[in-house]
Amino acid sequence: MNVLGADIIGGIEHALGLAFAMFWEILWALILGFTFTSISNSMKKLTCPKNYR
């Protein structure tokens, strides 16, 4: 493999690594946010009277 091919593959690997890191940062924040929202909604349903829902 020539130097240009190695540079291209290295660039693709770098870009995929960055894309996965960004995906992971967004994913865990979304999971955490939806988890907290579902917990707070279930607590609200347990503590609020029926006519305030």
Side-chain angles (χ1 to χ4, degrees):
M1 183 179 291
N2 59 10
V3 176
L4 182 61
D7 287 342
I8 291 173
I9 291 182
I12 290 172
E13 288 176 349
H14 181 70
L16 287 174
L18 288 175
F20 178 76
M22 287 187 278
F23 169 75
W24 181 248
E25 286 185 24
I26 299 291
L27 181 68
W28 76 261
L30 281 173
I31 290 171
L32 197 61
F34 282 122
T35 302
F36 286 154
T37 301
S38 65
I39 289 170
S40 69
N41 281 338
S42 65
M43 292 298 182
K44 184 175 76 171
K45 288 179 183 177
L46 289 175
T47 58
C48 286
K50 248 186 177 176
N51 56 353
Y52 289 120
R53 289 187 202 167

